[in-house]
Amino acid sequence: MKPTPLSIAAAIGVVVAFVRVFFFTPTEAIQGLAQKIYYIHVPSAWVAFLAFFLVALTSALYLALREDRLDRIAESSAEVGVVFTTVVLITGPLWGKPIWGTYWTWDARLTLTLFLWFVYVAYMVLRSAVEDRDMRARYSAVLGILGALLIPFIHLSVYLFRTLHPMPILGKPERPSLPNEMLSTFIIAFAAFTLLYVALLRARYRYAVERDGVKLPEGD
Amino acid sequence: MPSLRRSSTCGIARWCRPVGSLFRDALLIARKDLMIEFRTRSAFLAVLVFALLGIVIFYFAWDVTAVSAADLAPGVLWVIFAFSGLLGLNRSFAVEKEEGAIDGLLASPVSREAIFLGKALANLLFVLAVQVIAIPAVSFFYGLPLAGVAAPLAAIAVLAAIGLVVVGTLFSSMAANTRLSELLLPILSLPFFVPIVIPAAQATAKLLSGRPVGDALPWLRLLLAFDLLFVVACTLAYPFTIEE
């Protein structure tokens, strides 16, 4: 597949963000180098949630409109979302170990992220387990919608679980009010990752189109 | 059987169907499923034995000197119910797959929502029947007197069972048509069981440690909210899983 202007822009954006993170952004005084993970971790988490939101939205629209395109977008977004959630789940513990003193705690947000990963990996397994294209689209749309309904319940139950049963963990660092240089780096990273998401989504979508043997209208 | 298939234009009419007939049809479906189960009894015995074995196995995986029975029992109960529920749910639509019984069911003048509610109701009674035996068994094996907390415990059990069953019935209908059927049901269902198992186990733990019932109320509310949302969502979603 030829690189598109969008994917080139996303690649440049990510490179610029990384160069800025490592060479032009001050190291945080207390957390040291570990804090640099912030610029990957938080934008990835944002992208993951954005991706799953799009899955739910296109799933609901699919059931209403029965446009195959919507199913392909949901499929692509779920897969890209799982990749970014995996990044979040890998960078999080790496950051947590030096700062919190532990790789993992059953904090509400961490647990929610883990279960989102489970739900959308199950979504991918479900897709691979159904042969019929129409049935696959309907089944995965149902799961895509129910998955979104599940999010507040997991968050709330784990959150209550944590507050009613406090466990001694090292205090979660309050997010510092970022100095300007850090903030601008963060915004660049944020924009670069969002662009990367759109580029990956588009590439994955085009793959789905080719696989399904559909002719794209010009300029799509 | 295209002549018997509901056309999509009667969608509005389907919504306007009197609620009474929806429930009457659901009861009919549930009765059919329970009758099949009652005549064969194979699934119930298997699941019951599985639950009892689970309770016993947990005992041996447990350091008696470190963890008291009251601390262990809630977790054991709800893990067992989650897994034994899955075993029973697998069967729910497998029965209909055999010899194409589902086609007959879909061709019958019963709305899809009623089929779903009936199936879920039969599964609910199935899970409750397992609980009626398994909960006293836990009390017996772990030496926990449950008589004082029987009523609130029953409320937790029913609320949690409703949640497990509606989600599980929907996914059972989907999984039955896939290549991975038995494997797929737990993968799909277990993430959805988390917001049921946590509140149910926590509320049970509150009761067993002798705290007032009021302490368990936030958890019961969470279970109730889950049940309400997912009964509606799964009932509405079910027709999408069985279109031809």
Side-chain angles (χ1 to χ4, degrees):
Chain A
M1 195 178 284
K2 274 185 293 180
T4 58
L6 182 66
S7 58
I8 294 169
I12 292 173
V14 171
V15 170
V16 167
F18 271 69
V19 168
R20 247 196 93 92
V21 166
F22 285 106
F23 298 106
F24 298 97
T25 308
T27 305
E28 211 264 335
I30 302 160
Q31 300 190 11
L33 274 178
Q35 188 265 341
K36 303 246 186 216
I37 285 184
Y38 172 72
Y39 303 109
I40 300 171
H41 181 75
V42 179
S44 301
W46 143 253
V47 167
F49 277 94
L50 179 69
F52 296 143
F53 172 74
L54 194 69
V55 173
L57 186 70
T58 47
S59 295
L61 287 173
Y62 174 81
L63 290 184
L65 305 172
R66 302 304 167 105
E67 279 270 353
D68 282 343
R69 260 183 304 179
L70 291 164
D71 177 54
R72 281 190 280 270
I73 297 174
E75 172 195 1
S76 310
S77 193
E79 207 168 301
V80 178
V82 166
V83 171
F84 278 94
T85 314
T86 310
V87 170
V88 174
L89 288 174
I90 292 171
T91 55
L94 288 178
W95 189 13
K97 183 63 180 166
I99 307 305
W100 293 348
T102 173
Y103 285 112
W104 186 265
T105 87
W106 291 100
D107 159 85
R109 203 179 297 186
L110 268 63
T111 315
L112 178 64
T113 313
L114 180 65
F115 275 92
L116 278 182
W117 191 84
F118 283 135
V119 169
Y120 290 94
V121 169
Y123 179 95
M124 285 161 59
V125 174
L126 175 66
R127 292 198 76 99
S128 70
V130 187
E131 312 259 334
D132 182 76
R133 189 190 290 176
D134 179 52
M135 189 194 271
R136 180 173 61 220
R138 282 183 281 112
Y139 279 17
S140 40
V142 165
L143 184 60
I145 294 166
L146 289 185
L149 295 181
L150 182 69
I151 291 173
F153 282 98
I154 292 185
H155 183 80
L156 198 61
S157 57
V158 182
Y159 179 76
L160 281 170
F161 178 59
R162 294 287 323 175
T163 45
L164 293 179
H165 272 252
M167 264 167 45
I169 53 157
L170 294 176
K172 210 174 165 177
E174 285 296 306
R175 183 180 297 175
S177 49
L178 289 175
N180 277 341
E181 279 166 307
M182 286 185 174
L183 185 65
S184 58
T185 304
F186 177 69
I187 291 171
I188 291 171
F190 203 82
F193 271 67
T194 310
L195 207 57
L196 181 65
Y197 163 66
V198 178
L200 288 174
L201 179 67
R202 191 162 178 277
R204 180 63 181 76
Y205 175 77
R206 294 190 76 96
Y207 162 73
V209 168
E210 262 175 46
R211 180 202 54 200
D212 293 348
V214 182
K215 274 217 174 89
L216 276 181
E218 285 301 311
D220 189 27
Chain B
M1 286 161 284
S3 59
L4 289 169
R5 223 164 65 198
R6 237 164 251 283
S7 72
S8 58
T9 47
C10 72
I12 303 284
R14 209 171 67 207
W15 290 110
C16 299
R17 271 175 80 92
V19 178
S21 93
L22 177 73
F23 285 110
R24 219 174 23 247
D25 292 351
L27 283 177
L28 267 178
I29 302 281
R31 219 182 82 193
K32 170 193 82 71
D33 271 25
L34 290 172
M35 203 181 286
I36 293 173
E37 180 50 39
F38 191 73
R39 293 208 174 131
T40 59
R41 264 183 290 256
S42 50
F44 182 75
L45 277 178
V47 171
L48 187 65
V49 169
F50 173 84
L52 294 177
L53 276 172
I55 292 166
V56 173
I57 294 280
F58 263 101
Y59 182 86
F60 294 112
W62 162 37
D63 180 357
V64 194
T65 53
V67 185
S68 79
D71 289 337
L72 185 75
V76 172
L77 268 181
W78 291 105
V79 168
I80 299 285
F81 289 146
F83 283 97
S84 58
L86 283 176
L87 273 187
L89 289 163
N90 252 330
R91 173 206 48 100
S92 177
F93 281 92
V95 168
E96 305 294 350
K97 286 287 280 183
E98 277 167 35
E99 299 180 37
I102 187 78
D103 293 331
L105 200 58
L106 294 179
S108 68
V110 168
S111 73
R112 272 88 205 266
E113 288 83 358
I115 293 177
F116 176 78
L117 287 175
K119 285 265 169 202
L121 186 63
N123 289 331
L124 179 66
L125 292 175
F126 184 91
V127 169
L128 288 179
V130 173
Q131 286 179 337
V132 163
I133 300 176
I135 293 178
V138 167
S139 156
F140 173 76
F141 284 128
Y142 293 9
L144 290 169
L146 294 182
V149 292
L153 194 60
I156 298 169
V158 172
L159 284 178
I162 293 173
L164 294 177
V165 156
V166 285
V167 172
T169 304
L170 181 71
F171 288 149
S172 160
S173 148
M174 283 163 50
N177 289 318
T178 67
R179 283 191 288 116
L180 295 170
S181 54
E182 289 90 3
L183 197 58
L184 199 63
L185 180 62
I187 296 177
L188 292 177
S189 303
L190 286 175
F192 286 81
F193 285 1
V194 167
I196 303 168
V197 168
I198 292 177
Q202 292 296 312
T204 310
K206 291 268 179 296
L207 294 177
L208 291 184
S209 59
R211 306 270 287 277
V213 179
D215 282 12
L217 269 187
W219 296 114
L220 286 177
R221 273 203 292 269
L222 194 59
L223 279 178
L224 189 65
F226 185 96
D227 288 356
L228 287 176
L229 181 67
F230 278 88
V231 166
V232 174
C234 292
T235 310
L236 294 182
Y238 177 71
F240 292 112
T241 70
I242 43 154
E243 282 168 28
E244 292 110 88

